[in-house]
C-alpha cells in the first residue's frame, strides 16, 4: 500500500516525505488539494498525510467521502489545536502536532499501513464504483454543477436548470465528478485560491469535456483576465446579474451537448471512434503518471452478416443497440464503452488489472447470454453471441521518461500494443465460434488468455449433440489427418481446415470417453 502526502511544496513536505521513504514506504507527494482528491485511488493508498495550510477539513471530508477505510492523518502547528479539532471532526483518524519528531509520524503511518494490510476491506479498483450498483438516476449526467456558489445564485439557476447539483466547495465537487458526470461546472474563485492552473488541470483530467465557468470577485481582476489561458471556458466578474450568469451557463451547456453529440455513435449511444481515440490517449498518459494498469476489451458480434441477411438491417441495428446496452450496464461508469466500427465494440478500463478485467468480461458473457433478438430462431446460429478479446498493460520503470521525451510517440506505441494484444484472443474466440458452428456442437469458452466466446447452441450435422469444454482431450480423424488436442483453440483451428465429409471424434473427460461421428459441412465463411 502507498502513502499519499498532501502538502505545500517546501522544506516541511521534503522532510516528511524523506522520513517516510527512509522507513521503506512508497510515497507520492501532491502539492495541490484538487489534484489529491482527483487522483486519489483507495485501492492503492493505505494512509493519507495532510499537511498544514492545505484546507485540512475540506480535504479530509472529500477523501473520506471517497473511502471510509483509508487512514487519514492531519499535521497541524502546535499553536493551532483548533485545526486538529476541525480535521478530526471532518473525518481524520489522527492529528499530528508538527512540534513532534518525524519518527513519531512514521510510526503512526506504519501502524496504519499494517492495519490496511491485515485485512481491512479493500475498495473496488478504479476511480469510481460500478454504475450497476448505483440507484436509478444516480449516475445520470448533471446539466450544471455548482461549487461554493452564493445561495441566491443557486436558487436562480435551479429555477432555470432543474437538473442541477450543488456542492459546498470545489473539492467536494471533484468527488461528485468522479462518480457522476456534469456538463457545466460553475465554481467561485475563492475555491481556486491561487491554484487556478493546477485545479483546472485536475478537473480536465477527470472530466475532459466539462465546461467550466469561474466567478471572480472584483479584487481578482488580473486573475480574471488570465482565466482563459489557465483552462476556464468562461468567466464572470462579480457582482453579476443572475440573468448574465444564466445566459453564459446556457451557452456552455449548448456547447457541451454539441460536443457530446460529436463524440457519440448515434445508433448505439456508445462513444464513437473519436471518443475512443481521445479517451485512450488520456488514459494511457494517466496510467503512466500514476503507475496503474490499463485494460482494453474488444467485443465482436458473431455472424453479424447472418443477422442482416436473414432478419434485415433493422434487426442488425437492434443487435448492435442491445450489445451496447449490455456493455454499458455491465461495465463500470469509469470505463469507456465505444463502437469501434461495424459490429465491433471496445471498452477502455482504467486502473484495472488482468484479473479484474477477466471478471468483468465474464459478467458480460453471462449478461449477453440472456439477450434475445426478435426472430433469432431463423438464424443459422439460433442465438446472438459475441467473441471477446482482452489485453492489459502496466507502465514500466522507464515509461515516465519516454512520455516526457515524446508523449505522442509513446501513446501511439502503447495504443498499438493494446489493440494487437486484444486482437489475438479475439480472433481465437472467433475461430472457436466458427468451428462450433461447423461441428454442430456447443463449444465452451477457451482456456485463460484464449478468448471468451459467449456460448450458443448451433444446429448442424452432428449425429449426436456434444458439449466440448476447456480441459477436454479431443482426438480427431478426418480420413486424411488425425490429431490430439488439449485445448479448444487448437481443435477449432483443426476443424476449420478439415475437409467436408466424415469426421470421427473421441472426447475424453476425466475417466470418461465418448465417440462422436460427425458429417462435416463446408467451412463457414468469416
Amino acid at each position: 500500500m502507498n502513502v499519499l502526502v498532501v502538502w505545500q511544496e517546501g522544506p516541511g513536505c521534503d522532510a516528511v516525505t524523506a522520513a517516510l521513504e527512509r522507513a521503506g514506504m512508497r510515497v507520492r507527494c501532491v502539492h495541490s488539494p484538487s489534484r489529491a482528491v482527483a487522483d486519489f485511488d483507495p485501492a492503492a493508498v493505505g494512509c493519507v498525510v495532510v499537511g498544514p495550510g492545505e484546507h485540512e477539513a475540506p480535504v479530509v471530508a472529500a477523501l473520506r467521502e471517497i473511502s471510509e477505510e483509508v487512514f487519514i492523518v492531519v499535521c497541524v502547528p502546535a499553536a493551532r489545536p483548533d485545526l486538529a479539532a476541525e480535521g478530526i471532526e471532518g473525518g481524520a483518524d489522527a492529528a499530528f502536532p508538527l512540534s513532534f519528531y518525524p519518527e513519531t509520524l512514521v510510526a503512526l503511518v506504519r501502524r496504519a499501513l499494517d492495519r490496511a494490510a491485515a485485512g481491512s476491506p479493500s475498495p473496488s479498483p478504479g476511480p469510481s464504483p460500478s454504475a450497476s450498483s448505483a440507484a436509478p438516476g444516480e449516475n445520470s449526467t448533471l446539466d450544471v454543477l455548482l461549487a461554493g456558489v452564493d445561495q441566491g445564485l443557486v436558487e436562480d439557476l435551479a429555477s432555470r436548470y432543474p437538473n442541477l447539483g450543488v456542492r459546498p466547495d470545489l473539492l467536494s465537487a471533484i468527488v461528485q465528478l468522479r462518480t457522476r458526470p456534469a456538463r457545466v461546472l460553475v465554481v467561485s474563485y475563492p475555491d481556486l485560491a491561487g491554484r487556478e492552473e493546477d485545479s483546472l488541470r485536475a478537473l480536465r483530467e477527470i472530466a475532459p469535456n466539462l465546461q467550466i465557468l469561474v466567478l471572480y470577485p472584483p479584487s481578482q481582476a488580473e486573475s480574471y483576465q488570465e482565466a482563459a489561458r489557465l483552462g476556464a471556458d468562461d468567466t464572470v466578474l462579480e457582482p453579476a446579474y443572475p440573468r448574465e450568469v444564466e445566459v453564459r451557463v446556457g451557452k456552455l451547456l449548448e456547447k457541451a451537448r454539441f460536443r457530446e453529440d460529436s463524440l457519440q455513435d448515434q445508433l448505439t449511444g456508445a462513444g464513437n471512434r473519436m471518443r475512443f481515440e481521445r479517451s485512450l490517449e488520456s488514459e494511457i498518459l494517466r496510467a503512466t503518471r500514476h503507475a496503474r494498469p490499463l485494460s482494453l476489451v474488444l467485443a465482436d458480434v458473431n455472424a453479424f452478416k447472418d443477422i442482416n441477411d436473414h432478419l434485415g438491417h433493422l434487426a442488425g441495428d437492434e443487435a448492435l443497440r442491445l450489445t451496447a446496452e449490455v456493455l454499458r450496464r455491465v461495465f463500470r461508469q469509469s470505463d469507456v464503452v465505444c463502437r469501434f466500427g461495424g459490429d465491433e465494440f471496445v471498452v477502455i478500463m482504467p486502473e484495472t488489472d488482468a484479473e479484474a478485467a477477466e471478471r468483468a468480461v465474464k459478467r458480460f458473457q453471462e449478461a449477453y447470454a440472456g439477450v434475445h433478438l426478435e426472430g433469432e430462431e431463423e438464424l443459422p446460429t439460433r442465438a446472438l453471441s459475441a467473441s471477446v478479446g482482452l489485453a492489459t498493460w502496466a507502465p514500466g520503470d522507464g515509461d515516465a521518461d519516454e512520455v516526457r521525451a515524446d508523449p505522442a510517440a509513446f501513446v501511439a506505441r502503447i495504443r498499438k500494443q493494446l489493440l494487437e494484444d486484444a486482437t489475438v484472443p479475439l480472433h481465437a474466440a472467433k475461430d472457436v465460434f466458427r468451428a462450433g458452428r461447423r461441428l454442430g456442437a456447443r463449444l465452451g469458452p477457451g482456456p485463460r488468455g484464449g478468448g471468451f466466446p459467449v456460448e450458443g447452441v448451433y444446429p448442424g450435422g452432428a449425429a449426436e449433440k456434444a458439449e466440448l469444454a476447456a480441459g477436454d482431450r479431443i482426438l480427431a480423424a478426418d480420413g486424411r489427418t488425425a490429431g490430439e488436442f488439449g485445448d479448444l483453440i487448437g481443435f477449432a483451428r483443426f476443424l476449420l481446415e478439415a475437409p467436408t465429409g466424415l469426421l470421427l471424434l473421441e472426447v475424453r473427460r476425466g475417466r470418461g470417453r465418448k465417440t462422436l461421428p460427425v458429417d462435416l459441412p463446408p467451412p463457414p465463411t468469416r
Side-chain angles (χ1 to χ4, degrees), residues 280 283-296 349-355 357 390-400 402-403 410 413-415 417-419 421:
L280 185 60
E283 294 301 339
I284 288 173
L285 294 174
R286 193 161 73 93
T288 307
R289 186 167 56 253
H290 303 306
R292 300 290 291 160
L294 177 66
S295 291
L296 188 79
M349 302 186 70
E351 303 192 25
T352 307
D353 59 21
E355 186 177 350
L390 167 66
T392 299
W393 165 76
D397 293 337
D399 286 344
E402 188 177 343
V403 168
F410 177 80
R413 180 173 69 82
I414 301 304
R415 175 192 179 280
Q417 176 183 325
L418 278 168
L419 286 172
D421 289 351

Side-chain angles (χ1 to χ4, degrees), residues 276-322:
F276 165 71
E277 298 294 354
R278 289 185 180 181
S279 298
L280 185 60
E281 176 181 1
S282 173
E283 294 301 339
I284 288 173
L285 294 174
R286 193 161 73 93
T288 307
R289 186 167 56 253
H290 303 306
R292 300 290 291 160
L294 177 66
S295 291
L296 188 79
V297 175
L298 291 177
D300 192 333
V301 180
N302 286 327
F304 184 67
K305 184 176 183 297
D306 285 348
I307 298 174
N308 286 332
D309 290 348
H310 288 80
L311 303 180
H313 289 275
L314 291 179
D317 290 347
E318 180 63 15
L320 294 176
R321 278 192 289 266
L322 289 171

Side-chain angles (χ1 to χ4, degrees), residues 22 70 84 87 91 96 108 151 185 196 220 226 232 259 352 385 418 420 440 445 469 481 483 510-512:
R22 281 197 302 271
V70 68
F96 179 78
L108 181 64
Q151 183 59 32
L185 172 68
E196 299 100 310
Q220 297 295 330
E226 287 287 296
R259 181 173 292 181
T352 307
S385 66
L418 278 168
E420 288 180 348
T481 57
R511 295 184 178 180

Side-chain angles (χ1 to χ4, degrees), residues 19-60:
L20 294 172
E21 289 178 340
R22 281 197 302 271
M25 301 178 192
R26 290 177 295 178
V27 182
R28 179 167 180 250
C29 189
V30 177
H31 304 305
S32 159
S34 300
R35 171 73 59 189
V37 175
D39 292 348
F40 175 55
D41 178 7
V45 175
C47 181
V48 180
V49 178
V50 181
E54 289 304 338
H55 309 79
E56 292 88 346
V59 171
V60 171

Side-chain angles (χ1 to χ4, degrees), residues 11-311:
C13 177
D14 295 342
V16 168
T17 301
L20 294 172
E21 289 178 340
R22 281 197 302 271
M25 301 178 192
R26 290 177 295 178
V27 182
R28 179 167 180 250
C29 189
V30 177
H31 304 305
S32 159
S34 300
R35 171 73 59 189
V37 175
D39 292 348
F40 175 55
D41 178 7
V45 175
C47 181
V48 180
V49 178
V50 181
E54 289 304 338
H55 309 79
E56 292 88 346
V59 171
V60 171
L63 294 175
R64 184 58 73 210
E65 188 174 350
I66 298 170
S67 171
E68 296 181 359
E69 287 81 22
V70 68
F71 193 90
I72 303 176
V73 183
V74 290
C75 297
V76 298
R80 292 293 307 276
D82 57 310
L83 296 179
E86 287 181 11
I88 296 296
E89 289 174 1
D93 297 283
F96 179 78
L98 291 177
S99 57
F100 285 26
Y101 288 110
E103 288 74 14
T104 310
L105 176 62
V106 170
L108 181 64
V109 172
R110 185 176 295 285
R111 270 204 312 274
L113 294 179
D114 290 344
R115 187 190 71 170
S120 293
S122 298
S124 300
S128 65
S130 170
S132 60
S133 64
E138 188 174 297
N139 286 316
S140 60
T141 301
L142 288 168
D143 282 337
V144 183
L145 178 61
L146 307 179
V149 173
D150 177 77
Q151 183 59 32
L153 184 57
V154 170
E155 294 172 0
D156 288 329
L157 291 175
S159 65
R160 174 78 181 272
Y161 305 106
N163 185 20
L164 176 143
V166 181
R167 285 289 182 144
D169 53 53
L170 177 62
L171 297 183
S172 63
I174 291 175
V175 174
Q176 171 129 1
L177 288 169
R178 288 166 57 110
T179 56
R180 187 177 186 185
R183 296 183 174 92
V184 178
L185 172 68
V186 181
V187 59
S188 177
Y189 171 79
D191 262 15
L192 302 178
R195 297 184 183 275
E196 299 100 310
E197 186 169 7
D198 196 77
S199 296
L200 293 173
R201 186 180 293 120
L203 284 167
R204 288 283 177 233
E205 288 179 5
I206 62 170
N209 299 317
L210 182 69
Q211 301 293 302
I212 303 172
L213 171 64
V214 183
L215 306 178
Y216 279 90
S219 60
Q220 297 295 330
E222 292 184 7
S223 298
Y224 166 81
Q225 296 173 356
E226 287 287 296
R229 183 184 65 81
L230 297 176
D233 296 285
D234 199 358
T235 56
V236 173
L237 192 61
E238 298 181 306
Y241 292 108
R243 177 60 181 160
E244 179 186 359
V245 179
E246 284 182 20
V247 169
R248 300 215 183 191
V249 168
K251 289 183 177 179
L252 291 177
L253 190 55
E254 184 179 346
K255 181 179 176 182
R257 285 174 173 153
F258 178 79
R259 181 173 292 181
E260 282 180 8
D261 289 342
S262 71
L263 297 174
Q264 187 178 61
D265 177 62
Q266 297 304 306
L267 173 63
T268 64
N272 58 17
R273 186 63 175 265
M274 182 185 299
R275 171 78 187 280
F276 165 71
E277 298 294 354
R278 289 185 180 181
S279 298
L280 185 60
E281 176 181 1
S282 173
E283 294 301 339
I284 288 173
L285 294 174
R286 193 161 73 93
T288 307
R289 186 167 56 253
H290 303 306
R292 300 290 291 160
L294 177 66
S295 291
L296 188 79
V297 175
L298 291 177
D300 192 333
V301 180
N302 286 327
F304 184 67
K305 184 176 183 297
D306 285 348
I307 298 174
N308 286 332
D309 290 348
H310 288 80
L311 303 180

